Amino acid sequence: MNHKKKLYIETYGCQMNFSDSEIIGSVMINNNYELTNKISEADIIFINTCSVRDNAEQRVRKKLKELNAQKKNNPHLKIGILGCMAERLKSKLFEEEKIIDIIAGPDAYRYLPDLMTTVESGQKAVNVLLSAEETYADINPVKFGDNKVSAFISIMRGCQNFCSYCVVPYTRGKERSRNPQTIINEANDLFKQGYREVTLLGQNVNSYNWKEEDNVNFAQLLEKVALVNPQLRVRFATSHPKDISDELLQTIAKYENICKAIHLPVQSGSTRVLELMNRKYTRQSYINRIEAIRKFIPGCAISTDIITGFCGETEDDHKQTLSLMKWAAYDFAFMFKYSERKGTIAADKFKDDIPDETKGRRLKEIIELQQKLSKESNLKDIGKTFRVLVEGVSKKSDQKLSGRNSQNKVAVFPKKEFKPGDYVNVKIIECTSATLIGEAINN
Ligand code: SAH
Ligand code: SF4
Ligand code: F3S
């Protein structure tokens, strides 16, 4: 009998990594492996890793320690490290972590079955070659463990912005755009399967640019995906402030099903620090882009990423970040302490000179301010009615459903007859800093 080997995939890091795990799953299924969601019954464990901050890598190291026991009980168990950490550390990882059998970088996933063959013959296997072309355009990602309502679609890979703190250009390689027709086909398929929301993914979606046959930029791609069906919501991430065009903002405004939420990482509110970070915009030009968003898309939510304690960041720089946050009145933010990454421009050129204590204190101030801003933003929504796409049952109560409005805010409301995938008009009655709470009306 043909016993299929069971593969368990664990994913760390950004949405792109989660999307990659679906590609990995698909490659493996097509080569006679099957997926399991029980790590204990796996023949193969793939860990799709992230290198963006030191703590992301530490979590993977901790996981590998846990797996030691499982490998002792089952010497046939194979363990693969995939993704950005594999790319960053390459075969050095074999020396550091003895239980690893496979190391595969982000552009090597087509070769996983070959690597498995090597491993089955008792050797270790590695492929960390980066590619200038690979987009996995023809691979139909397998959807696992998701809500069957909302899906990711990778539209490009790599990044060559070289923000001075960031490891991604080294782990993901050159920026390349995926054939738009394959993106539209994927969105169409997902809609037919019952999905009602797609998120287009890239490190800097604004620089999406397909140059073969006909030219397609990001605004045009977004429009094509929005036209797949008015009942299919479209989101996208991440936008780089230096490239977000008026054309794009006008496209977002034009289509009801393009969500009114823009993630626009600022990183710092100080032009001096932005320059050291090589972000290629100033505090003022960032402010101008937010003003453009507010002008073209009234009611658009804006979220951000912030790094605190970057090399040489003064108390005044920090205050400028706080004041910009207040001015922008962000609806949501991801906030991080600067973590030096070997091989980046900042690691080579600048000193990581802000004491951890100071980074911690500044981060605390940033987080506290954001909580206040998120709460204020949610309070303004009380009394408003939003079209909410139901994703599933609320974590806190099985009598309530949870979904998101166009602005990407989570809303919960009593279940009644509704189910995941339904659009429900929800009137907001109360809120916390993270959630809108309401009831369904006139559906
Ligand atoms: N391409 C996206 C983000 C990719 S990484 C963009 O440009 O916005 C996600 C976030 O991690 C970044 O926005 C940044 O805020 C944070 N980050 C990246 N490198 C970091 C580092 N070395 N230390 C701390 N945070 C970092
Ligand atoms: Fe990193 Fe900058 Fe590229 Fe984002 S745009 S992935 S922060 S280098
Ligand atoms: Fe991490 Fe790589 Fe994404 S470093 S943030 S998994 S691109």
Side-chain angles (χ1 to χ4, degrees):
M1 220 184 78
N2 187 6
H3 164 72
K4 287 191 179 178
K5 295 235 160 119
K6 292 195 171 78
L7 167 67
Y8 177 87
I9 308 177
E10 183 151 321
T11 312
Y12 295 82
C14 62
Q15 294 173 331
M16 300 218 55
N17 246 22
F18 282 83
S19 163
D20 280 2
S21 288
E22 299 177 347
I23 290 167
I24 294 161
S26 176
V27 168
M28 295 297 282
I29 287 172
N30 289 336
N31 282 275
N32 223 21
Y33 292 86
E34 67 182 6
L35 295 180
T36 172
N37 51 20
K38 285 204 198 92
I39 194 164
S40 58
E41 63 172 39
D43 302 299
I44 306 146
I45 297 172
F46 282 167
I47 306 182
N48 193 4
T49 61
C50 174
S51 275
V52 82
R53 282 170 293 276
D54 185 57
N55 57 13
E57 293 199 355
Q58 291 315 321
R59 285 174 63 205
V60 172
R61 303 262 184 193
K62 191 161 155 255
K63 185 76 207 179
L64 286 169
K65 285 215 172 61
E66 286 168 29
L67 290 179
N68 260 322
Q70 192 172 340
K71 186 127 176 175
K72 274 207 188 92
N73 289 336
N74 172 12
H76 299 294
L77 175 68
K78 304 295 179 209
I79 295 176
I81 292 288
L82 279 49
C84 293
M85 199 174 160
E87 191 61 49
R88 191 176 86 78
L89 296 165
K90 307 193 167 58
S91 38
K92 201 162 65 178
L93 260 178
F94 285 138
E95 294 152 37
E96 294 174 5
E97 306 283 352
K98 300 282 182 244
I99 66 168
I100 300 174
D101 301 287
I102 290 189
I103 294 173
D107 289 339
Y109 300 150
R110 274 179 207 276
Y111 308 105
L112 284 168
D114 299 343
L115 298 175
M116 279 310 299
T117 311
T118 308
V119 162
E120 295 298 350
S121 75
Q123 291 164 281
K124 303 215 170 199
V126 54
N127 184 339
V128 288
L129 287 179
L130 286 174
S131 153
E133 287 98 34
E134 179 64 272
T135 58
Y136 302 112
D138 56 319
I139 294 179
N140 198 5
V142 43
K143 300 284 161 201
F144 46 83
D146 65 1
N147 57 20
K148 306 276 177 237
V149 174
S150 176
F152 295 132
I153 304 182
S154 272
I155 63 163
M156 58 205 292
R157 301 183 69 81
C159 178
Q160 51 209 58
N161 285 305
F162 291 95
C163 301
S164 63
Y165 50 81
C166 185
V167 78
V168 173
Y170 309 92
T171 62
R172 293 260 165 184
K174 281 211 175 106
E175 184 183 283
R176 65 218 98 126
S177 297
R178 175 178 169 186
N179 182 326
Q181 196 52 51
T182 67
I183 297 169
I184 294 153
N185 294 349
E186 193 169 324
N188 246 312
D189 279 356
L190 288 164
F191 185 77
K192 281 189 200 128
Q193 287 171 43
Y195 284 84
R196 290 296 172 264
E197 182 176 277
V198 292
T199 304
L200 308 182
L201 295 179
Q203 294 297 353
N204 173 9
V205 288
N206 310 108
S207 64
Y208 176 88
N209 192 9
W210 178 253
K211 283 181 253 175
E212 288 167 44
E213 302 118 42
D214 43 10
N215 230 316
V216 181
N217 68 18
F218 183 60
Q220 291 159 337
L221 177 74
L222 194 58
E223 176 160 51
K224 286 176 195 284
V225 179
L227 289 169
V228 163
N229 195 296
Q231 295 298 310
L232 182 71
R233 271 186 177 177
V234 191
R235 298 188 186 279
F236 55 92
T238 297
S239 291
H240 195 301
K242 75 180 166 64
D243 297 320
I244 186 161
S245 66
D246 286 356
E247 182 197 4
L248 175 64
L249 300 180
Q250 281 160 332
T251 306
I252 298 169
K254 188 168 157 200
Y255 292 92
E256 211 264 334
N257 60 329
I258 302 182
C259 288
K260 307 297 178 265
I262 298 181
H263 188 62
L264 199 67
V266 68
Q267 314 299 0
S268 167
S270 153
T271 296
R272 196 185 71 81
V273 174
L274 288 171
E275 202 166 307
L276 294 174
M277 288 177 161
N278 193 28
R279 288 290 287 178
K280 303 188 181 89
Y281 54 86
T282 61
R283 177 188 174 97
Q284 189 54 50
S285 62
Y286 183 90
I287 287 176
N288 295 347
R289 293 326 290 153
I290 295 223
E291 283 177 338
I293 295 171
R294 303 250 184 262
K295 181 178 97 188
F296 287 114
I297 322 168
C300 186
I302 302 178
S303 53
T304 201
D305 292 352
I306 293 170
I307 299 176
T308 191
F310 186 63
C311 312
E313 184 188 72
T314 64
E315 216 44 46
D316 180 60
D317 294 323
H318 170 60
K319 292 219 169 76
Q320 291 193 47
T321 298
L322 292 171
S323 77
L324 185 62
M325 289 172 70
K326 273 189 219 147
W327 178 86
Y330 291 117
D331 298 280
F332 180 80
F334 293 110
M335 298 153 283
F336 313 102
K337 275 193 221 174
Y338 171 58
S339 163
E340 185 176 78
R341 313 308 291 134
K342 256 204 194 107
T344 57
I345 299 161
D348 291 345
K349 281 179 46 182
F350 313 132
K351 199 157 170 259
D352 181 13
D353 57 355
I354 308 302
D356 193 55
E357 224 187 342
T358 310
K359 287 183 184 171
R361 194 250 311 151
R362 289 181 186 165
L363 182 64
K364 188 163 164 271
E365 289 174 16
I366 287 171
I367 291 174
E368 277 169 6
L369 172 58
Q370 186 52 50
Q371 265 169 351
K372 199 168 140 260
L373 296 174
S374 298
K375 182 75 187 268
E376 280 168 13
S377 159
N378 283 355
L379 281 169
K380 282 193 202 141
D381 289 339
I382 291 179
K384 291 186 193 160
T385 299
F386 294 105
R387 196 158 179 253
V388 171
L389 173 60
V390 181
E391 287 172 19
V393 178
S394 152
K395 272 182 240 149
K396 293 208 180 113
S397 154
D398 61 7
Q399 293 311 303
K400 287 191 168 185
L401 289 174
S402 166
R404 282 167 204 271
N405 67 6
S406 175
Q407 286 75 11
N408 211 18
K409 288 187 181 178
V410 174
V412 299
F413 57 96
K415 206 171 186 175
K416 296 197 187 143
E417 70 281 18
F418 304 112
K419 57 182 190 315
D422 287 349
Y423 284 104
V424 181
N425 292 324
V426 177
K427 182 166 184 188
I428 307 307
I429 316 165
E430 53 179 328
C431 71
T432 67
S433 66
T435 314
L436 302 175
I437 301 156
E439 59 191 22
I441 54 153
N442 315 326
N443 281 281

